[in-house]
Amino acid sequence: SAPVPQAEPLKRSVSLNWDQVPQAVRYEIEIRHKNGPPSSQVISDTTTNPEWKGKLEPGDYLLRIRSLDDREIPGDWSPSLD
């Protein structure tokens, strides 16, 4: 039998940027559904620049970011933003 095509959920392009943190060499980003449990994490990603671009399904999300220095020691997570 022929494979059944899977529909891609509708996703929108999202672009985030923030102020560079002195001594940071990398940033960790976590995005999750606003009304879901903490385990409802949608995205966990890293970037070397103070920006992130990706695609998310329409909805309400919480976002938090933290920096890491050249020793890979993380800073505090930012307050969750929505």
Side-chain angles (χ1 to χ4, degrees), residues 8-82:
E8 259 309 295
L10 176 65
K11 292 191 175 185
R12 296 188 181 173
S13 294
V14 176
S15 179
L16 306 169
N17 58 60
W18 53 91
D19 292 335
Q20 186 166 355
V21 175
Q23 309 300 317
V25 297
R26 192 162 60 94
Y27 300 91
E28 292 182 338
I29 301 117
E30 286 188 356
I31 301 172
R32 68 178 178 90
H33 291 285
K34 183 175 182 177
N35 296 321
S39 62
S40 69
Q41 185 171 305
V42 175
I43 292 175
S44 178
D45 202 358
T46 61
T47 179
T48 56
N49 296 310
E51 63 183 9
W52 179 84
K53 293 180 183 178
K55 293 190 178 241
L56 294 172
E57 294 177 27
D60 293 325
Y61 294 89
L62 292 174
L63 157 77
R64 65 183 191 159
I65 302 166
R66 70 178 175 182
S67 62
L68 291 96
D69 67 14
D70 59 356
R71 298 169 295 164
E72 293 295 306
I73 295 175
D76 294 332
W77 284 106
S78 67
S80 292
L81 304 172
D82 59 359

